[in-house]
């Protein structure tokens, strides 16, 4: 165990929160007084990179220490299987483990909650016990076979629709207060060391913050009147002018301010109960959000900086308080960091000391100067996009970014994006952080970009450079299912 290691771990994910909307990263609106104070006790990382631009693969990477192509969780195969999670290792070592979230992807059917002793789930009418066991196997089956894959996609679409419907009455989408309450209760009732994971979802579309935050950050804005459907904008069925973008960003800021206030309650409890100093706190976003940059809305169909250069702050006695502006960090390193901090021997992916933020030799491994990002085809979002386009009489080109898988290698000074259906892209981040000037045509003339592209090619060689079509059924797609799962699927009317 690292000297001074904190026995308790609180891991907080601010879902869909952009780095540039937080006070510790220079934002000039008072969205985050709690995080501003927290930054005075933590290490603040400027160059943290998510391995994907959306929830499922990023959380799978943080929980396993593996890249998306390695752990395999994407919308093409939307579950984590055959790996041991961080929570499972910590639980086996005697930690009390909890996971509270309102994110539809962080549920037993995807495998992300494996190893957590206590958990909450997104589906208000469906208890966690129903999402495990046979139903989890059904979820895997539906996604593995073309014949019923549409059912699985429809389940997620339905979940999104429920989320939007519940969100329609300003502020009712927020389960953050309940998440914070559950976390406090779990820590208070636990004996011995605790690993508590929370995902706070308020900054994810749709934005319907509580009225008091609307009044401060988006005065006069009616959240039901602005565009809250990113697919309508992305397909070209809906235009958004500058005034509406300003209103949308104001609502987004209000949601972040609400999250920050709820975090103040959790941090206050830890301080008042005398557990603050002995608790390691990891706080990051899983990905960001686009508000019109690059002509896109949301966090699909791209891997630009607004999505993958995320906030990360870590409080631990072995980390010097202050800013780390130069060293690049990958979120997959958090798996190794938590294992290092707790002294737990992993039951899954082996600890790589050089991937621990606590190590004096951090990132001293081959290709350690680079971060890698992967984006598989967004099946559900693509279906929704096509539906919106069809309703508006718009034809989407199959050779567009909407249908393209993507990969990138990044260094603080440069980034190369490999696209499946559209031309590759390259950017000098040191002088063009907004990625406005695509230099793919002159990569060979730029040493930085040439080096980054070479790193991406080597990464692809290790994990597989070709994109294979997903899915496909055998002669009998039911053959590999157990009797209980097959019966459950039949009861639900999905197969005969």
């Amino acid at each position: 165990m690292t000297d001074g290691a904190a026995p308790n771990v609180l891991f907080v994910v601010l879902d869909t929160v952009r780095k540039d909307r937080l006070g510790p990263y220079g934002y000039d609106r008072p969205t985050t007084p709690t995080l501003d104070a927290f930054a005075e006790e933590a290490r603040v990382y400027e160059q943290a990179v998510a391995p994907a631009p959306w929830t499922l693969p990023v959380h799978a990477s943080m929980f396993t220490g593996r890249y998306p192509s390695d752990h395999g969780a994407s919308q093409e195969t939307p579950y984590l299987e055959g790996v041991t999670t961080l929570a499972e290792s910590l639980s086996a070592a005697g930690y009390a483990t909890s996971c509270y979230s309102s994110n539809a992807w962080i549920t037993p059917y995807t495998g992300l909650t494996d190893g957590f002793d206590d958990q909450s789930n997104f589906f208000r009418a469906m208890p966690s016990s129903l999402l495990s066991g046979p139903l989890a196997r059904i979820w895997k089956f539906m996604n593995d076979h073309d014949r019923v894959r549409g059912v699985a996609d429809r389940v997620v679409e339905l979940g999104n629709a429920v989320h939007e419907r519940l969100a329609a009455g300003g502020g009712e989408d927020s389960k953050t207060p309940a998440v914070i309450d559950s976390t406090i209760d779990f820590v208070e009732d636990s004996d011995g060391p605790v690993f508590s994971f929370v995902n706070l979802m308020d900054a994810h579309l749709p934005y319907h913050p509580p009225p008091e935050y609307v009044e401060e950050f988006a005065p006069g804005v009616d959240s039901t009147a602005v565009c809250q459907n990113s697919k309508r904008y992305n397909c070209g069925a809906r235009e958004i002018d500058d005034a509406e973008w300003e209103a949308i960003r104001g609502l987004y800021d209000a949601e972040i301010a609400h999250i920050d206030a709820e975090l103040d309650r959790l941090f206050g409890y830890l301080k008042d109960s005398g557990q603050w100093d002995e608790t390691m706190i990891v706080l990051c976003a899983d990905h960001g959000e686009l508000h019109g940059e690059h002509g896109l809305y949301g966090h699909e169909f791209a891997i630009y900086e607004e999505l993958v250069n995320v906030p990360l702050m870590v409080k631990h006695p072995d980390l010097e308080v202050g800013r780390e502006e130069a060293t690049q960090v990958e979120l997959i390193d958090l798996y190794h960091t938590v294992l290092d901090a707790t002294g737990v021997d992993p039951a899954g992916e082996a600890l790589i000391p050089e991937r621990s933020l606590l190590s004096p030799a951090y990132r001293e491994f081959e290709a350690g100067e680079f971060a890698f990002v992967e984006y598989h085809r967004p099946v559900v979002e693509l279906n929704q996009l096509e539906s919106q386009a069809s309703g508006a009489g718009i034809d989407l080109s199959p050779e567009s970014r909407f249908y393209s898988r993507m990969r990138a290698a990044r260094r603080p000074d440069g980034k190369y994006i490999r696209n499946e259906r559209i031309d590759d892209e390259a950017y000098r981040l040191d002088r063009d952080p907004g990625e406005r000037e695509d230099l793919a045509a002159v990569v060979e003339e730029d040493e930085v970009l040439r080096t980054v592209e070479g790193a991406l090619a080597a990464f692809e060689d290790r994990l597989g450079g070709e994109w294979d079509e997903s899915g496909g059924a055998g002669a009998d797609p039911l053959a590999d299912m157990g009797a209980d799962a097959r019966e459950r699927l039949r009861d639900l009317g999905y197969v005969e």
Side-chain angles (χ1 to χ4, degrees), residues 411-430:
R411 205 169 63 176
D413 56 353
K415 181 176 175 182
Y416 192 94
I417 302 174
R418 182 102 61 215
N419 293 309
E420 181 189 27
R421 301 291 182 94
I422 60 177
D423 292 339
D424 290 356
E425 302 166 73
Y427 301 97
R428 281 297 299 266
L429 300 180
D430 50 355

Side-chain angles (χ1 to χ4, degrees), residues 260-281:
D260 187 80
E262 290 299 313
L263 276 176
D264 185 53
R265 288 203 300 122
L266 178 55
F267 290 176
Y269 162 74
L270 293 175
K271 292 172 183 177
D272 292 344
S273 62
Q275 299 181 75
W276 180 256
D277 290 339
E278 65 183 35
T279 300
M280 174 188 189
I281 298 179

